[in-house]
Amino acid sequence: MHNEKINVAILGASGYTGAELFRLLSHHPYVNLVYLTGEKHANQYIEELFPHFRLINKSFKLIKIEEIDWLKIDLVFSALPHGLIQKIINEIPEKIKIIDLSSDFRLNDSYIYEQWYHHKHEAKEFLSNAVYGLTEINHKYIPSARLIANPGCYPTASLLPLIPLLYSKKIDPKNIIIDAKSGVSGAGREAKQTSLFTEISEGIHPYGISKHRHIPEIEQELSKAFGEKIQISFTPHLIPMNRGIYTTIYVQNAPSITSSDIDKELNNFYKKNEFVVVLPYNSVPSTRHVRGSNYCYISVCEDRVTNRTIILTVIDNLIKGASGQAIQNMNLTYNFKENLGLEAYPLFP
Amino acid sequence: MHNEKINVAILGASGYTGAELFRLLSHHPYVNLVYLTGEKHANQYIEELFPHFRLINKSFKLIKIEEIDWLKIDLVFSALPHGLIQKIINEIPEKIKIIDLSSDFRLNDSYIYEQWYHHKHEAKEFLSNAVYGLTEINHKYIPSARLIANPGCYPTASLLPLIPLLYSKKIDPKNIIIDAKSGVSGAGREAKQTSLFTEISEGIHPYGISKHRHIPEIEQELSKAFGEKIQISFTPHLIPMNRGIYTTIYVQNAPSITSSDIDKELNNFYKKNEFVVVLPYNSVPSTRHVRGSNYCYISVCEDRVTNRTIILTVIDNLIKGASGQAIQNMNLTYNFKENLGLEAYPLFP
Amino acid sequence: MHNEKINVAILGASGYTGAELFRLLSHHPYVNLVYLTGEKHANQYIEELFPHFRLINKSFKLIKIEEIDWLKIDLVFSALPHGLIQKIINEIPEKIKIIDLSSDFRLNDSYIYEQWYHHKHEAKEFLSNAVYGLTEINHKYIPSARLIANPGCYPTASLLPLIPLLYSKKIDPKNIIIDAKSGVSGAGREAKQTSLFTEISEGIHPYGISKHRHIPEIEQELSKAFGEKIQISFTPHLIPMNRGIYTTIYVQNAPSITSSDIDKELNNFYKKNEFVVVLPYNSVPSTRHVRGSNYCYISVCEDRVTNRTIILTVIDNLIKGASGQAIQNMNLTYNFKENLGLEAYPLFP
Amino acid sequence: MHNEKINVAILGASGYTGAELFRLLSHHPYVNLVYLTGEKHANQYIEELFPHFRLINKSFKLIKIEEIDWLKIDLVFSALPHGLIQKIINEIPEKIKIIDLSSDFRLNDSYIYEQWYHHKHEAKEFLSNAVYGLTEINHKYIPSARLIANPGCYPTASLLPLIPLLYSKKIDPKNIIIDAKSGVSGAGREAKQTSLFTEISEGIHPYGISKHRHIPEIEQELSKAFGEKIQISFTPHLIPMNRGIYTTIYVQNAPSITSSDIDKELNNFYKKNEFVVVLPYNSVPSTRHVRGSNYCYISVCEDRVTNRTIILTVIDNLIKGASGQAIQNMNLTYNFKENLGLEAYPLFP
C-alpha cells in the first residue's frame, strides 16, 4: 500500500460537493490539501462560506484557478458546475490526475452529450479516455485512468444494482422503471426560488420528467452491461430532506428467474465490497440509515405481480453519490486502503 | 337543494380524521353536530385533545358510543379504527345514514377481506350493499346508499385517473405501477416509535411492499372499471411531511393510443368536476398545492419510452383522501351544494 | 352592518403576503377584487406564480401599478416591499383607503425612521396621520383612518400582551426581554442563499440581534401605552417551519403585583375579542395551534424566580401577523362583521 | 499518553444516547467494546434496533445487565433512563470506573434531588463523591474520579459560558435568563404521542416552564462558581430538528464591565480548548454548524440596552451534550488524547 502524501487541489470549493471533499479530505492521512478554488469567493476563508469549518483550519483561503501552481499538485478534484472543467482541462498538465465530479466527461458520445446539454462539448478528445468512476463496477480501470468521470448521484444509486443484473441476464432489459427520490442538497447552494425552505418543506413533487440529464448516463452504462441499447423510464422527485437518494426500481424478471435469484446474484456480486451492502431479502432500507456515510444499501423485494421484482437502493447523495465516491476512486488510484477518509458510520437521527 | 339542518354524530373524534371532520363540519351551514365519541377520551373536551379547537366550541365533550341516543341522529360519520364499526353496525337504527371512513366495508368480497385482514368479517351482510364512496366516479349511487364506504387515501389518488382510462380502454391493464408517497398524518395519532419525529424527518423509506391493505381495494375498483381482473404493483413511501399523497403512475398506452389521447380523456371526463382538476399536459403538480383543500390535481406526462405514459396525482390525504370526501358524499346524499364545508383554498406555504 | 361590495386592489400580489390577501379575500362576501399588481410579473396569471390558486380564478392577470384606474377602487392593500409605497402614495386619490402592510408608515417619527432604515423618508407628511393597525388596541381609531399602517408580525405578537400590562402598570417597564421565534415565510419569496431549505432545515439560529427593524415599532407602541420611553431586549430566531411567530417574554412584575394578577388583567382586557384568546393560567400554546388562522393565543406563566412572569404568545405570521389583520382592519373600517374572510379554524397537523 | 485498550460496557444501548456511544466508540483506537445491554432488547443484534449499524459489527448482541461479567470490564458508560443506575451501582465492583449519562448523580444534595425528582434517592452515599463531568471546567477532578456524573445537554450549553463569567464576577448573578431551544432527539426514542412527527414538525412550543429538571443542576454549578446561591429563569423550547441545543442567554453586566470585556474573558478562558470555540464578537452561531460533532460554539453580543449582554451557545445535544462529552471524560481519565473518537467535523447540510 502507498503511504506517502499526495498533493491535492479542489476546484469549486464553495458548493456543497466541494465542501464535502474538504471535510472528508481533512481527515485523510495521505492527503495534503494545497489549494481550494472559488472564483466568486477568492480571498475568502473557507469558514466564511461554511461556518462549520471554523475548527478545521482557520487560514485556508480560496483562490482563483489561475493562481494555481500546477507543479505543486498531484491530483485535482473538480467540483465545478457543469460545463466549466471542459473549458480548462487542456491547461492542466498531463501528469496530474483529474477526478471530475461534474457531468462533463461522463458520456462517451459527444453527439448524445450535445443532445442533452444543448451546447458543443469543448474537450471532446477527452471523452473516449475518461473512465466512468462507479467504483465497485470499474475498479479495474480506475487506477490507471488519468481522468475519472465521477458518476452522478442518481446514476450511482440506479446502476449499482442494475449493472450486475443486466450483465448476468437476470432481468428483462425492457420496462425498467426507476422512481427516484432526492434530498435538496442535490440542487446545490445557489439562491433559487425553487429551493427555498418555504417552497420545498412539507411537500413532494417530481421534476425533469423524461428530461433529466442523468438519463443518458444511466442508459449508457446499462447498455454497456447488457450489450444492447437500453431505454429506461426515470422520474426524480424532490423530498424535504437535506441528504439522500432513494431509488425504487421496478423490473421484470428474465424467463425462469425468480426474485430470490436476483437477490442471490447481488449478494454474490457485492460480497467482498465494504461500501455496497445487500440487505436481507425483502427488507427495506431508509436514506437516514446511510446519511453522512459512503455506504450504499440495496435490497431486493418480491413483487406480488408474478415475475416482477422491486429493487431498493439508498445512498447519501453528497458522499457515495459525489465526494465520497470521488475519494474512494482516489484511494484506488493510489493504492490506499479503500476506506481511508470514509470510515464514518452513518449519523442517525 | 336541501336546506334544513341534519343531525350528525362523529364516531372516533380523537384521531386526525375525526378532528378534520369536526373542523370542516363546524363551518357547514346545514350540519348540526350532536355527538362526538372517543372511548378512551370520554368526558374530555375536544380542545383538550386538540388545542387548536379551543376557539370553536369550548363545551363540546366527547362521549362513549353507548351514550348516543340514536333517535337524535340522521347521519353518522365513523372515523373509528379499522375493525370496530363492523362490530356495532347492527345496533345503529336502519334509518340512519352511515359514512364509514375505515376499510371495513370497502371490499365487496368477504373472502378477500379475510385474506388481507386476517380475521373474520363480523358484518358480512353489509358488504354487498355498501357503496364505494369515490365521489366523482360513483356519484349516481351515493345519494341512495344507506352505507357509504369512504375510500382510502391511496385508492382515491390512484383510482381517480385510472378508472376512466381503463373504462375507456386507453391504457394496457397489465403492468400498471403505482409508486405512491404519503405524509405522516396517514399513520394516525397513536404513539408509535416508527412515527416519531426523529425516525421520520430527514429521510424517506417505503413500507408494506406487496402487502399494503389498500391494494385489494384499488384492484377491486380497477377490475370493475375494466371488466376483468387487474393486478397492480403498488409501493407506498413515507415522506417527512404532515399532509399529502403523491402517486406517480407508470402505464403502457393501449394500442394506437398516445399520451396526449390519455390527457384528453381525463380532461373530458373531469371537465365538470370542481374538485378534480386536470392540469395542462406535461405539467407537474405538488402536494403542497392542494394542502388543506379537497382538490385532486392530475397531470398526464409523456414518457420518453415509446407508448408509455406517466400520470401524476396529488391530494391532501386527510381531506380528499378522507374527511373531505366523506363530507362531499354527505353533500351529495342530502342534495346540498357539493362544496359546502369544503370551500377552503389550499394553504401555501 | 355594511353589506355592499367594495372594490379592492392588492399591490404586490407576487409575494407570500399578497398571495394570502388574495386567498382570504377570494372568500370575502363583500369584496370585489379588481386589480392585482406585480411589477416583474405583469401579464402573468396568478396561478403561474402560485399553482395552488389554479382553482380560484383562472383569468386573474397581474398588472403594473401604473395600469390601475384609481376611479374603480375603494380600498388598496399594499403588500409591496418596504420603501416603495412611500414613493407613490401621493398619486393615490385621497378618497381611497389604504392599508399598508410594509413598515413605511408605522413609525411616527421620521428621525427614528431614518436611523433604522438608513434613507430619507419620501412621504413624511403621512406619518403623523397614519393609524397603527393593531386591531384590538386601536379599534377606535381604525374606522376613520385613511391610511392604516398594518403592524409587523413580531410587533403584533409582542404588543398584544404587553400594551395592556404597561398601560395598567402591572409590569416593570424596565428589563422586558422578548425572545422571539419565526417561521421562514417571514423572509419572503425572494431567492436568497440564507433562505434555502438546506440552510434552514434541521437547525436554529438568531439574526439581527439588537438591529432588527421591528424594535423601534415595538418600543414606540409600548412607550405610548406606558407614557414614558421604554427600551426592550429583542432577539428573533429563525425556526425550520413555514408559518408561525412565538414570543417568549420575560418581565418583572410591578410592586405587589403577582403573575396571577397579570393573567387576570389580560383575561379581562381580551374577554370580548374573538381573535385574541387568553389560555388558562400556566398553560403552553404552540404555533401549530393557530396555523392558517387569524387567532392569537396568549398565556401567562409564573416564573420560579420571585416576582417574574413569563408571557407566551403565538400567531400565524402571514395571517394575524400580516394579511389577516389587514382584512380585520378593513372589516372594522367598513363596519363588516369582524371575522368575515377570517373564519377558518387552524389547520393541524 | 496511555495506549493500551480498555474494556468497556455500555448500559442502555437501545436509546439514542447509547447508540451514539456505540457509534463513536467503534472508531476509538483504545477502546474494546465488550458489552452492550438492553433489558427489553436482550438477544437482539444492535442493527435490528439501529439499521444504520448494519455495517459496524453484525454480531453484536445486546444482553441483560445481570449477564455482565464485571471482571472483564474497566469502564462502564451508563445510558440508562433516569433512576435506574442508582439501583444497581452498589453491585458494580469498585475498581470499575463509571461514567453516568443520567441525572442520578449530578445533584450533590439529596434533599434537592428529592424535591425535583419526587422519590427517595437510592444511592445517596455516592452523591458527594461523584464529579460533575463538565470537561472544560472540571478537567482537574475528572481523571481521579471513580464516578463521573455527565452533565445534561441544557446544562452543558448553559454552564460553559456562565461559569467563567460568574467566577470572574463579570456579570450580575441576578436576572440571568436562559431561553433554550432543543432538537427532538433529546426526548428519547420512546413512543410518545407528543414526540410524533405530526405533533412536532412545522411548529414550536416551550415545555416544563419553571419545572424542568435541568434547573437545579444549572443553579448548583453556577452557585459554586459564584460562591453564593443563584437562581435563574430557564425556558426550554422544542424545535422541529433532530439534533442541537441553542441557548440565548440574557445577562446584566457587572458594574463597569462591558460586553466586550465579557467576550475577552471567554476568549481567554477557552483559548486552549479544542472543543469550545469562542466566535468573533457579535457573531451568530447556528446549531447546524456543530451537528454531528463534539464542538461548542459560543458568541458574545452586545445588547442595545445599556449594560446588557446576549450570550449564544450551540452544541449537538447527543454529542457534546451527552455521549461525546462522556467519551471526552474517558479520554481525560485514561490520559488518551482528548479528541480520540471525537475527531469528526460537523456534518452540514
Side-chain angles (χ1 to χ4, degrees), chain A residues 148-285:
Chain A
I148 297 170
N150 215 57
C153 50
Y154 287 124
T156 295
S158 303
L159 294 170
L160 282 171
L162 288 174
I163 282 176
L165 297 177
L166 283 167
Y167 183 81
S168 64
K169 310 285 191 269
K170 292 286 185 296
I171 58 172
D172 184 343
K174 286 194 291 286
N175 295 326
I176 296 173
I177 289 167
I178 303 171
D179 191 279
K181 295 91 177 172
S182 173
V184 189
S185 58
R189 205 187 195 191
E190 210 188 322
K192 284 180 285 193
Q193 191 186 72
T194 51
S195 297
L196 295 179
F197 181 90
T198 41
E199 303 284 322
I200 294 290
S201 64
E202 281 292 302
I204 172 177
H205 66 272
Y207 63 100
I209 293 179
S210 289
K211 286 192 291 267
H212 196 284
R213 287 169 169 181
H214 284 171
I215 291 173
E217 183 181 335
I218 297 173
E219 292 185 347
Q220 166 183 288
E221 299 301 312
L222 293 182
S223 301
K224 279 185 209 165
F226 188 67
E228 283 173 36
K229 188 107 196 78
I230 284 183
Q231 219 183 6
I232 55 161
S233 291
F234 173 76
T235 311
H237 299 72
L238 200 56
I239 304 295
M241 61 184 186
N242 285 303
R243 288 169 180 251
I245 294 279
Y246 212 105
T247 65
T248 311
I249 306 176
Y250 301 88
V251 297
Q252 188 82 35
N253 305 346
S256 85
I257 296 296
T258 66
S259 297
S260 168
D261 295 336
I262 287 173
D263 177 59
K264 281 186 199 112
E265 176 67 26
L266 289 176
N267 265 290
N268 193 51
F269 191 89
Y270 287 114
K271 69 184 171 215
K272 291 188 184 154
N273 285 99
E274 173 170 359
F275 289 121
V276 180
V277 179
V278 182
L279 301 186
Y281 189 42
N282 283 322
S283 61
V284 173

Side-chain angles (χ1 to χ4, degrees), chain D residues 29-302:
Chain D
Y30 302 132
V31 165
N32 182 28
L33 261 178
V34 184
Y35 297 119
L36 303 184
T37 80
E39 302 306 296
K40 285 186 223 147
H41 299 282
N43 286 315
Q44 284 187 279
Y45 289 102
I46 185 75
E47 74 267 21
E48 293 178 68
L49 302 177
F50 292 104
H52 66 300
F53 288 142
R54 184 163 291 280
L55 282 291
I56 292 178
N57 190 335
K58 295 192 188 188
S59 59
F60 225 116
K61 232 183 211 178
L62 275 69
I63 61 168
K64 286 177 184 288
I65 293 176
E66 62 189 41
E67 298 177 66
I68 293 179
D69 176 354
W70 293 110
L71 295 176
K72 297 194 176 157
I73 295 301
D74 299 306
L75 171 74
V76 162
F77 288 101
S78 175
L80 295 171
H82 158 77
L84 295 186
I85 184 74
Q86 60 183 264
K87 289 182 202 286
I88 61 161
I89 189 164
N90 273 302
E91 296 162 29
I92 302 176
E94 187 115 10
K95 65 130 203 151
I96 297 177
K97 300 258 184 189
I98 301 171
I99 300 181
D100 177 32
L101 285 83
S102 83
S103 53
D104 279 20
F105 300 105
R106 292 180 195 152
L107 298 179
N108 307 137
D109 182 338
S110 67
Y111 176 74
I112 290 177
Y113 179 88
E114 288 162 13
Q115 266 190 311
W116 286 84
Y117 289 87
H118 310 305
H119 68 88
K120 287 264 166 220
H121 197 290
E122 301 187 43
K124 278 183 212 192
E125 63 277 23
F126 288 85
L127 290 179
S128 54
N129 290 325
V131 167
Y132 190 72
L134 192 62
T135 323
E136 283 77 9
I137 301 297
N138 290 336
H139 54 93
K140 286 191 191 147
Y141 312 110
I142 286 166
S144 58
R146 188 254 166 150
L147 170 57
I148 296 170
N150 214 58
C153 49
Y154 287 124
T156 296
S158 303
L159 294 170
L160 283 172
L162 288 175
I163 283 177
L165 297 177
L166 282 168
Y167 183 80
S168 64
K169 309 287 191 267
K170 292 286 185 297
I171 58 172
D172 184 344
K174 288 195 290 288
N175 295 325
I176 296 173
I177 289 168
I178 303 171
D179 192 278
K181 296 92 178 172
S182 174
V184 189
S185 59
R189 207 188 194 190
E190 209 189 322
K192 284 180 285 193
Q193 191 185 71
T194 52
S195 298
L196 295 178
F197 181 89
T198 41
E199 303 284 323
I200 295 290
S201 64
E202 280 294 301
I204 171 176
H205 66 272
Y207 64 100
I209 292 179
S210 289
K211 286 192 293 267
H212 196 282
R213 287 168 168 183
H214 283 171
I215 291 173
E217 184 182 335
I218 297 173
E219 292 186 346
Q220 165 182 290
E221 299 301 311
L222 293 183
S223 301
K224 278 186 210 165
F226 188 67
E228 282 173 36
K229 189 104 197 77
I230 285 183
Q231 218 182 8
I232 55 160
S233 292
F234 174 75
T235 310
H237 299 72
L238 200 56
I239 304 295
M241 62 183 184
N242 286 303
R243 291 168 178 251
I245 294 278
Y246 212 105
T247 65
T248 312
I249 306 176
Y250 301 87
V251 298
Q252 189 84 35
N253 305 347
S256 84
I257 297 296
T258 65
S259 298
S260 167
D261 295 336
I262 287 172
D263 177 57
K264 281 184 200 114
E265 176 67 27
L266 289 176
N267 266 290
N268 194 51
F269 191 89
Y270 287 113
K271 68 184 171 214
K272 290 188 183 153
N273 285 99
E274 173 170 359
F275 289 121
V276 179
V277 179
V278 181
L279 302 186
Y281 189 42
N282 284 320
S283 62
V284 174
S286 161
T287 55
R288 49 183 88 67
H289 298 147
V290 295
R291 180 170 57 223
S293 82
N294 195 50
Y295 294 103
C296 173
Y297 281 13
I298 298 178
S299 89
V300 175
C301 299
E302 190 176 8

